[in-house]
């Protein structure tokens, strides 16, 4: 319809104007900093090199917004829990045993170096609390491992797609984390690394119960497949609760993007399998895959519905969110996630200027407490974090 | 109720922390919670899953575990790591892979409730798989051996004994041979 097209054009113009306006009125970092007590520390207007380096350290392959269904599926993850036969599991292990497990990890790297030459062992215990938090926010280690520092390590592939946590709840946790919907590839990769590990490690394996794990919820395949999703239209149209309760009936769990107990904000959520025993690995991820496919279809329909019925409202919502992100001085974590979600929906539906999906994914991580403090180079109170968050968002958002 | 930290505002946040199985509860106001970083670090589970396990294992809650769990079950202990069944109920984690055998009969219902199943259908590790096959074969031959001894067929028994010996040697070497 010509009228709609015109309106869309107007929205785009508006957005462009907003963009310019933001540039003109955006106070320089110096002005901004003069409001905060640490103004003397950061003088440069343009981000210094170490800032860029830090950003590079924080951003990761899974955030890049590529892969199948990237506008709805942020990332796919496969995790395999594996333990060494005859060793106490990490929660009850002595210091010596934890050290032995770590040595075993080093042995794996050494003996399998033909296959693992692009992997490095990172000593988590040598990292600051803030940097550990960054790794948690990047989904490379778990909160549990961030706390447990003794002989705690991570074997990480250069592209950060494959990693092996050592001495988490289980002796080894192999993870493959990919952008977009790529569960099959994730499983194949994780399984390949599982084979490398098994060449060196005597696994705790039981003929009836499969891979034995510290927690009874992981026994069997030890496999957790999870998909990080972005379902804003299902939230706006109020269908989400209905759909989520249906999901829990097919052996899957839904949670916020930062794990158990975190809230689902702006339609950002993680769906994962709960059952690990009695189904093959293929069945587990395929079951998840088919549910995700269904969710993607529902989300698409809801987006189309919104576009047909509430185009103006959506464009307004996205524009306001963009304006707030660009101009706010204090942003808390939850509202930031909500506004990023609103902007993203506007961009996806062509109602707002062009912001790369990858940038928005990265912002979700960049605005987490650990990353903010890492970028700032010091620990920040919750209030200071809100200030810092607003500054970073303004800086990072095109 | 007043905030237990600042004693000024009304407590609106109820914090329950369980660290290494020790539970602590405080009631504080939102500002104190925010200042503590309790509201901004939502990265950990707010409800530990293992609290469900105890119910599934036949105990109602850790507090009155003794009342519900028969003493002989509670004191069952893993010979390898020393974890008792009661402790397993409290922390919801096994101590080592041997716990699975030690608590064998008691945990199968738990697996059925958690997974709707109690038989692994997935991947079998190559080396450990070979191991298992060897072990099974040895067990089988040992039964056979007993039978031969009972039948006083000592020649066949001696042959079986040598076979078992060879296989056990293979097993000790990592099960690399052909099984």
């Amino acid at each position: 319809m010509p009228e709609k097209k015109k309106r869309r054009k107007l929205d785009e113009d508006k957005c462009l104007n907003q963009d310019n306006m933001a540039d003109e009125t955006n106070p320089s970092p110096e002005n901004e900093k003069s409001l905060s007590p640490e103004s003397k520390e950061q003088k440069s207007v343009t981000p210094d090199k170490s800032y860029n380096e830090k950003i590079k350290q924080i951003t990761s392959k899974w955030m890049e917004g590529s892969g199948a269904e990237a506008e709805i599926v942020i990332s796919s993850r496969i995790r395999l829990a594996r333990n060494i036969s005859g060793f106490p599991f990490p929660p009850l292990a002595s210091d010596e045993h934890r050290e032995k497990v770590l040595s075993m990890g080093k042995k794996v790297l050494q003996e399998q170096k033909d296959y693992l030459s692009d992997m490095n062992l990172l000593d988590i215990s040598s990292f600051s609390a803030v940097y550990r938090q960054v790794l948690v926010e990047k989904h490379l280690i778990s909160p549990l491992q961030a706390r447990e520092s003794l002989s705690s390590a991570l074997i990480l592939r250069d592209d950060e797609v494959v990693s092996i946590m050592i001495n988490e709840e289980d002796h080894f946790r192999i993870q493959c984390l990919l952008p977009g919907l790529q569960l099959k590839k994730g499983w194949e990769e994780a399984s390949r690394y599982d084979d490398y590990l098994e060449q060196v490690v005597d696994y705790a394996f039981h003929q009836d119960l499969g891979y034995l794990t510290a927690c009874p919820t992981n026994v069997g395949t030890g496999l957790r497949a999870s998909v990080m999703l972005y379902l804003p239209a299902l939230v706006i149209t109020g269908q989400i609760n209905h759909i989520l309760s249906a999901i829990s009936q097919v052996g899957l769990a839904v949670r916020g993007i930062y794990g158990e107990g975190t809230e689902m904000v702006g339609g950002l959520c993680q769906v994962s399998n709960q059952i690990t025993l009695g189904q093959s690995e293929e069945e587990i991820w395929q079951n998840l895959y088919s549910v995700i496919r269904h969710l993607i279809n529902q989300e698409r329909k809801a987006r189309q519905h919104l576009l047909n019925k509430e185009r103006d409202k959506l464009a307004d919502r996205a524009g306001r969110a963009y304006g707030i992100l660009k101009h706010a001085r204090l942003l808390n974590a939850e509202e930031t996630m909500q506004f990023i979600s609103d902007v993203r929906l506007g961009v996806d539906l062509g109602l707002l200027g062009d912001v790369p999906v990858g940038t928005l994914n990265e912002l979700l991580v960049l605005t987490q407490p650990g990353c903010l403090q890492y970028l700032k180079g010091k620990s920040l109170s919750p209030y200071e974090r809100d200030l810092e968050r607003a500054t970073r968002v303004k800086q990072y958002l095109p | 109720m007043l905030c237990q930290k600042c004693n000024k505002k009304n407590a609106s946040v109820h914090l329950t922390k369980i660290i290494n199985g020790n539970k602590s509860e405080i009631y504080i106001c939102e500002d104190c919670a925010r200042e503590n970083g309790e509201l901004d670090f939502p990265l950990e589970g707010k409800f530990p899953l293992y609290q469900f396990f105890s119910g599934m294992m036949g105990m109602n809650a850790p507090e009155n575990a003794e009342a519900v769990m028969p003493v002989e079950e509670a004191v069952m202990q893993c010979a390898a790591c020393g974890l008792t069944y009661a402790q397993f109920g409290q922390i919801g984690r096994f101590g080592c892979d041997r716990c699975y055998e030690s608590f064998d009969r008691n945990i199968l219902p738990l697996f059925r409730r958690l997974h709707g199943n109690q038989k692994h259908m997935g991947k079998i590790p190559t080396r450990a798989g070979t191991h298992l096959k060897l072990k099974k074969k040895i067990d089988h031959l040992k039964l056979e051996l007993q039978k031969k001894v009972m039948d006083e067929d000592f020649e066949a028994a001696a042959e079986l004994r040598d076979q078992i010996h060879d296989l056990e040697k293979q097993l000790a070497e990592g099960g690399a041979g052909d099984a």
Side-chain angles (χ1 to χ4, degrees), chain A residues 24-85:
Chain A
E24 281 162 20
T25 57
N26 190 7
S28 75
E30 271 169 331
N31 290 340
E32 184 72 358
K33 285 286 151 27
S34 65
L35 297 173
S36 70
E38 315 81 51
S39 56
K40 280 162 206 129
E41 281 177 30
Q42 291 215 342
K43 277 182 182 159
S44 57
V45 180
T46 48
D48 54 15
K49 199 182 165 209
S50 72
Y51 166 83
N52 286 333
E53 275 166 5
K54 282 177 179 174
I55 290 283
K56 219 174 148 191
Q57 263 181 308
I58 290 172
T59 56
S60 199
K61 175 89 181 163
W62 68 265
M63 306 167 200
E64 72 181 23
S66 66
E69 314 291 353
E71 81 272 25
I72 293 173
V73 179
I74 298 173
S75 66
S76 304
R77 169 161 55 158
I78 297 281
R79 185 222 69 197
L80 299 173
R82 296 293 186 254
N83 286 285
I84 308 170
S85 169

Side-chain angles (χ1 to χ4, degrees), chain A residues 89 133 198 208 213 262 382, chain B residues 34 42-43 95 100 120 123 127:
Chain A
F89 295 141
Q133 185 68 22
E198 201 236 328
D208 293 325
T213 53
T262 59
Chain B
R34 204 174 286 281
L43 295 178
Y100 281 84
H120 177 57
K123 185 172 177 173
R127 273 186 338 114

